[in-house]
Amino acid sequence: MPYVNIKVTDEGVTKEQKAQLIKGVSDLLQDVLGKDPNTTYVVIDEIALENWGTGGLQTDEYRKLHSS
Amino acid sequence: MPYVNIKVTDEGVTKEQKAQLIKGVSDLLQDVLGKDPNTTYVVIDEIALENWGTGGLQTDEYRKLHSS
Amino acid sequence: MPYVNIKVTDEGVTKEQKAQLIKGVSDLLQDVLGKDPNTTYVVIDEIALENWGTGGLQTDEYRKLHSS
Amino acid sequence: MPYVNIKVTDEGVTKEQKAQLIKGVSDLLQDVLGKDPNTTYVVIDEIALENWGTGGLQTDEYRKLHSS
Amino acid sequence: MPYVNIKVTDEGVTKEQKAQLIKGVSDLLQDVLGKDPNTTYVVIDEIALENWGTGGLQTDEYRKLHSS
Amino acid sequence: MPYVNIKVTDEGVTKEQKAQLIKGVSDLLQDVLGKDPNTTYVVIDEIALENWGTGGLQTDEYRKLHSS
């Protein structure tokens, strides 16, 4: 019955990678808490860079600042 | 003052159906808890099939597996 | 496969009322979108009054202001 | 370490406005709780008008009703 | 920069199990997407049985029904 | 109509500080996007240290590691 929400920046996560995330989280909950994967929901949200802030800046600006 | 978030897979939910979900949830909270619909927010998120996992698989893969 | 999250202020919602909310939302999603209640999750969060703000105030303060 | 999620209706919020929201929230958490902006995440979700309900109606319908 | 929220029913998850979930999710995001664990947040919510519904019922009722 | 959710670790945030966070976020949304504070909801969640992970560790463990 677990519900897991994964939020990552929208940077080309492939269908295969999403499949790995879903399988990995479902297996983890089964291993640690004995949860049945069939009742585990995993929802992946991909957030545009300008909609995700850290360090008081949008991600793209934050990276420019910290890469120079 | 309730806030309700409905997450469903992105499979062509029509504007009319969304209207029914919003009205139904608002009426339910009014009937059960006496909440004023004018202060009830309902937000609907539509999640791509490959972004929603169950049974350790992405929805489209899960359905293929369970339809054969 | 829907996931529904209901947030309300923590004001003594009874177990019976929660049961009505869960049944009502599950039936609504079945009626409108044909979703199987067995794959619909409903999670209810009860939020302390001082942790819920509206009108720039905490709920208890907001109500005092608007009841005088 | 705060995580802040801002949901607004999808009505042309500009990149600059998002930057102001991210900066404003990060500064607020630093001022009030002494949180380091570098460990504060802010995620902005923009919700289609027909996916946001208030008063039992979708936002566009609600506004038509309350503007006449 | 990922943010992961794990919701499970409140049934005595131990501190050690939470540590395993946090480590497992962080490692998974590093392995699959190359995300730095130091910028990955994992938040675990434990939901009372009567606040989590499935099959139109509260979890404890659902289990009674399906165990008889 | 904005909905803002602030998640912070559960470390004695006072009622007064919560009031400042609620006022600050409501004012910010009014200043930047012209949103009416009366239709802005702010919900604050306080998360136990052992339920919040960063760097693959629970917050208390992470802090011990990084303070030595």
Side-chain angles (χ1 to χ4, degrees), chain E residues 6-8 15-16 22 24 27-28 30 32 34 36 46 48-50 55-56 58-60 63-65 68:
Chain E
I6 301 173
K7 291 190 194 296
V8 288
K15 175 164 179 168
E16 172 48 32
I22 288 167
D27 291 349
L28 177 68
Q30 185 170 34
V32 177
D36 176 0
E46 297 167 87
L49 289 183
E50 69 176 53
Q58 288 158 305
T59 307
D60 41 0
R63 286 178 181 166
K64 275 183 222 160
L65 191 73
S68 46

Side-chain angles (χ1 to χ4, degrees), chain B residues 16-67:
Chain B
E16 172 48 31
Q17 289 173 317
K18 293 172 190 174
Q20 290 173 27
L21 292 176
I22 288 167
K23 176 132 179 34
V25 164
S26 303
D27 290 348
L28 178 67
L29 282 156
Q30 185 170 34
D31 297 345
V32 176
L33 297 180
K35 302 291 186 183
D36 175 0
N38 283 307
T39 65
T40 295
Y41 289 165
V42 181
V43 169
I44 300 168
D45 291 321
E46 298 166 87
I47 311 296
L49 290 183
E50 68 176 53
N51 284 43
W52 192 306
T54 184
L57 298 169
Q58 288 158 305
T59 307
D60 42 359
E61 304 305 323
Y62 180 84
R63 287 178 180 165
K64 273 183 224 161
L65 191 74
H66 289 75
S67 66

Side-chain angles (χ1 to χ4, degrees), chain B residues 1-9 11 13 17 20-21 24-25 28-29 32-33 35 52 54 59 62, chain C residues 1-9 11 13 17 20-21 24-25 28-29 32-33 35 52 54 59 62-63:
Chain B
M1 220 163 280
Y3 170 79
V4 180
N5 175 224
I6 301 173
K7 291 189 194 297
V8 289
T9 43
E11 302 184 78
V13 180
Q17 289 173 317
Q20 290 173 27
L21 292 176
V25 164
L28 178 67
L29 282 156
V32 176
L33 297 180
K35 302 291 186 183
W52 192 306
T54 184
T59 307
Y62 180 84
Chain C
M1 217 162 278
Y3 169 79
V4 180
N5 176 222
I6 300 173
K7 290 189 195 299
V8 289
T9 43
E11 301 185 78
V13 180
Q17 288 173 317
Q20 289 173 28
L21 292 176
V25 164
L28 178 68
L29 282 156
V32 177
L33 297 180
K35 301 291 186 183
W52 192 307
T54 184
T59 307
Y62 181 85
R63 287 177 180 165

Side-chain angles (χ1 to χ4, degrees), chain F residues 20-33:
Chain F
Q20 290 172 30
L21 291 176
I22 288 167
K23 176 126 178 43
V25 164
S26 303
D27 290 349
L28 177 67
L29 282 156
Q30 185 171 35
D31 296 344
V32 177
L33 297 179

